[in-house]
């Protein structure tokens, strides 16, 4: 047999990976490489780099223990070629191979780089998803609008999850009406399990400390799951302790409670340590056993077989230029507060500080605090995209870009969502306790100390009136704005503009 190379990337750490299923243990050589190029396309959070390198090393050891030949290159190896194609070429020369098997990467950049590599690269479908790319394209074809809710129902039918025959369990597809409660003051969520670094992870932490301490983000304490067994334990803990309240407090935000009832499993899912369908089956079993209510189980399963699959479909359907879209023409530079610069806005300060410490923020912090502010303030969506891609441990372009460019910044002009996710301070106040400790007043609409979200919300609607005035889901917003007297509207627009100018001049806001 001719020896082939089997490339396994840092987010492809699954024993059932299609490239491994097609490979021959006796003859083929697995290539895994820690390379400078992958660490440099954005300034990744040190915890994200440590997670990937540590999980790669452990996965390579696991493959070797199962009889595979693994050519593994460490980041500090003197012969390291610095890039994925460079490493493939080096290994190809070493073992006399010219063919490469790879499960298609989750990023156009890497797909293009591998397509240009002067080796015979065979791309295989990434079957760690419920929907294939062809399934999604077929579903999307001929539809005027792509809406997650309808795609999700297809995924329910396809998987049989939460189904009773051809009907949704309990009679409804979606139990969100029972979710999203405001958090009571004395809410005491469980902490996610924290894994002590073992010898492999400790060595990686030293490497990351030496090479990436200039990147935004705290490396230590580091407690992420870095192998399939730990990921499984994290999932068990979530199902036992947090899932029962997942639906109720899905949109809540509380100071000092960084994880609430969220699963904190997206890094494990996205690098391949957990299988999404198995996760959903476990959640369904907990519901069937009477351990969790239906609104929690359905809400959670919808995030995975609905949103997660939907955004992946959009990423590949829309093509490589998706990350450069800017439908609203926003061009303000991302302010320093996103990189930990001081701000008097408590909600942003809390979300960014926790991002720096944990490489994690939950969905509503990402969407309604950091995302909402960037959109209201008219920040260049590409800069926003690069920030999200860098700072979260779960950030890979196929999932990050549609969430940021589409759902959060409306820069795709409405492919992911039918209206922009914008809100004034009132929403943040209802869903969190942030406003109580803020230098700004959430009830003040104008004048000294008025919450910037209140000013910017109307400023956003006014500057995009032509685009959104006829959107049926935004009619109420415009009617409220238009009912205000002219003087008040002029004051709001003026004060919002002053705020934006001060922010861009680097003043403390
Ligand atoms: P939970 O709240 O417990 O949800 C369970 C799981 O559902 C998650 O682990 C995740 O796999 C999935 N999920 C939930 N919402 C989404 C969604 N909108 N899209 C895809 N999957 C979802 N998620 C990422 O995995 N990577 C990203 O880079 C990423 N970037 C985002 C950027 C922005 C601007 C926004 C608004 C959201 C982003 N999300 C991203 C989606 C979501 O915020 C995270 O999946 C979630 O916070 C992960 O934490 P968790 O595991 O505790 O999730
Ligand atoms: C994110 C990342 C980092 C930081 N380092 C590596 C690496 O050294 N080697 C590797 O194979 N993968 C790494 N990754 C993950 C890749 O960037 C990821 O596979 C692509 O972005 C495709 O999703
Ligand atoms: Fe954020 Fe405004 Fe509340 Fe302050 S008052 S925490 S800026 S929403």
């Amino acid at each position: 047999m001719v020896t082939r190379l089997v490339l396994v990337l840092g987010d492809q750490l699954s024993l059932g990976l299609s490239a491994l299923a097609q490979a021959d243990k006796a003859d083929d050589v697995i290539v895994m490489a820690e390379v400078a190029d992958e660490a440099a396309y954005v300034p990744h959070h040190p915890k994200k780099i440590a997670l990937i390198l540590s999980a790669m090393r452990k996965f390579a050891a696991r493959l070797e223990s199962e009889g595979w030949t693994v050519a593994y290159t460490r980041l500090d190896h003197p012969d390291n070629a610095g890039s994925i194609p460079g490493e493939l070429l080096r290994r190809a020369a070493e073992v006399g191979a010219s063919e490469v098997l790879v499960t298609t990467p989750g990023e156009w950049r890497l797909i293009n780089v591998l397509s240009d590599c002067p080796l015979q690269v065979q791309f295989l479908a990434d079957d760690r998803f419920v929907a294939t790319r062809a399934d999604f394209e077929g579903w999307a074809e001929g539809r005027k609008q792509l809406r997650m809710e309808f795609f999700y129902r297809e995924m329910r039918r396809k998987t049989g999850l939460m189904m009773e025959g051809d009907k949704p369990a309990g009679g409804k597809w979606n139990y969100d009406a029972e979710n999203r409660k405001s958090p009571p003051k004395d809410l005491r969520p469980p902490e996610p399990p924290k894994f002590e670094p073992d010898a492999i992870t400790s060595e990686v932490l030293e490497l990351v400390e030496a090479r990436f301490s200039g990147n935004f983000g705290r490396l230590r304490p580091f407690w992420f799951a870095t192998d399939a067994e730990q990921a499984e334990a994290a999932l068990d803990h979530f199902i036992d302790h947090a899932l029962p309240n997942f639906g109720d407090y899905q949109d809540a935000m509380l100071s000092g409670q960084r994880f609430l009832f969220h699963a904190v499993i997206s890094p494990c899912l996205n690098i391949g340590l957990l299988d999404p369908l198995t996760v959903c089956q476990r959640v369904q079993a907990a519901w069937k056993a009477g351990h969790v209510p239906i609104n929690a189980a359905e809400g959670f399963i919808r995030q995975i077989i609905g949103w997660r699959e939907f955004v992946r479909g959009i990423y590949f359907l829309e093509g490589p230029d998706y990350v450069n879209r800017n439908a609203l023409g926003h061009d303000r530079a991302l302010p320093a507060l996103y990189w930990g610069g001081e701000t008097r806005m408590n909600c942003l300060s809390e979300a960014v500080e926790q991002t720096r410490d944990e490489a994690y923020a939950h969905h509503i912090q990402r969407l309604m605090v950091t995302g909402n502010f960037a959109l209201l303030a008219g920040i260049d969506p590409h800069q926003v995209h690069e920030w999200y891609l860098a700072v979260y441990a779960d950030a890979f372009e196929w999932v990050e870009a549609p969430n940021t460019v589409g759902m959060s910044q409306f820069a795709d002009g409405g492919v992911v969502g039918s209206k922009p996710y914008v809100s004034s301070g009132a929403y943040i106040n209802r869903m969190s306790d942030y406003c109580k400790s803020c230098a700004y007043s959430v009830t003040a609409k104008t004048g000294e100390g008025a919450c910037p979200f209140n000013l910017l919300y109307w400023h956003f609607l006014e500057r995009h009136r032509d685009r959104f005035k006829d959107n049926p889901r935004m009619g109420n917003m415009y009617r409220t704005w238009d009912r205000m007297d002219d003087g008040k509207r002029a004051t709001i627009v003026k004060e919002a503009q002053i705020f934006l100018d001060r922010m861009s001049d680097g003043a403390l806001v």
Side-chain angles (χ1 to χ4, degrees), residues 14 69 124 187 227 287 327 437 453 472:
S14 316
T69 305
L124 302 166
L187 197 62
D227 58 42
W287 165 67
S437 321
F453 284 78

Side-chain angles (χ1 to χ4, degrees), residues 7-13 31-42 44-45 48-50 52-53 56 72-73 75 80 84 104-111 128 212 270-271 315 389 393 395-398:
L7 176 63
V8 176
L9 293 163
D11 57 354
Q12 299 185 334
L13 310 179
V31 174
M32 294 181 73
E34 302 173 1
V35 291
D37 271 12
E38 293 308 303
Y41 58 83
V42 287
H44 302 283
H45 193 298
K48 178 183 179 188
I49 301 177
I52 291 168
L53 300 193
M56 281 175 71
Y72 192 96
T73 310
L75 195 60
N80 192 317
I84 297 291
T104 306
E107 196 176 342
W108 288 110
R109 173 189 60 87
L110 215 43
I111 295 175
R128 299 172 299 164
F212 302 102
N270 296 351
I271 65 173
Y315 179 75
L389 190 58
F396 298 90
E397 204 173 270
W398 64 268

Side-chain angles (χ1 to χ4, degrees), residues 16-225:
L17 193 74
S18 54
L20 292 173
Q22 294 282 314
D24 183 335
K25 222 179 237 184
D27 289 304
D28 295 336
V29 172
I30 294 177
V31 174
M32 294 181 73
E34 302 173 1
V35 291
D37 271 12
E38 293 308 303
Y41 58 83
V42 287
H44 302 283
H45 193 298
K47 274 195 167 81
K48 178 183 179 188
I49 301 177
L51 165 73
I52 291 168
L53 300 193
S54 171
M56 281 175 71
R57 289 183 185 191
K58 288 190 181 187
F59 189 71
R62 174 80 190 264
L63 290 175
E64 276 172 343
S65 77
E66 298 204 357
W68 292 94
T69 305
V70 184
Y72 192 96
T73 310
R74 290 183 172 216
L75 195 60
D76 51 6
H77 192 280
D79 298 334
N80 192 317
S83 70
I84 297 291
E87 275 299 295
L88 284 174
L89 287 168
R90 188 168 76 85
R91 295 299 190 181
E94 222 169 68
V95 303
S98 59
E99 284 178 52
V100 180
L101 280 181
V102 62
T103 295
T104 306
E107 196 176 342
W108 288 110
R109 173 189 60 87
L110 215 43
I111 295 175
N112 294 339
V113 160
L114 289 172
S115 307
D116 293 344
C117 174
L119 290 166
Q120 262 175 272
V121 180
Q122 189 186 342
F123 291 96
L124 302 166
D126 190 344
D127 54 14
R128 299 172 299 164
F129 293 87
V130 176
T132 63
R133 281 170 60 179
D135 285 343
F136 190 85
E137 282 159 20
W139 173 79
E141 202 177 330
R143 284 173 196 262
K144 274 222 260 350
Q145 280 199 321
L146 305 181
R147 290 296 159 251
M148 191 286 295
E149 187 63 34
F150 299 112
F151 172 74
Y152 164 58
R153 291 178 193 179
E154 290 299 308
M155 295 300 99
R156 290 271 294 274
R157 290 191 187 97
K158 178 169 181 179
T159 58
L161 284 162
M162 308 290 293
M163 295 295 288
E164 283 155 5
D166 59 355
K167 299 266 180 322
K172 286 196 280 187
W173 289 105
N174 181 318
Y175 288 84
D176 256 359
E178 291 159 45
N179 291 341
R180 302 175 174 175
K181 297 189 171 63
S182 297
K185 269 201 305 288
D186 55 354
L187 197 62
R188 288 284 163 269
E191 281 282 302
K194 301 194 169 166
F195 301 93
E196 196 64 34
D198 54 21
I200 293 179
T201 303
S202 298
E203 201 182 349
V204 167
L205 291 179
E206 278 171 29
L207 173 76
V208 173
E209 207 146 51
R211 303 256 313 224
F212 302 102
S213 55
N215 289 16
F216 169 81
R218 290 227 162 96
L219 176 62
R220 296 175 197 266
F222 181 91
W223 48 262
F224 285 146

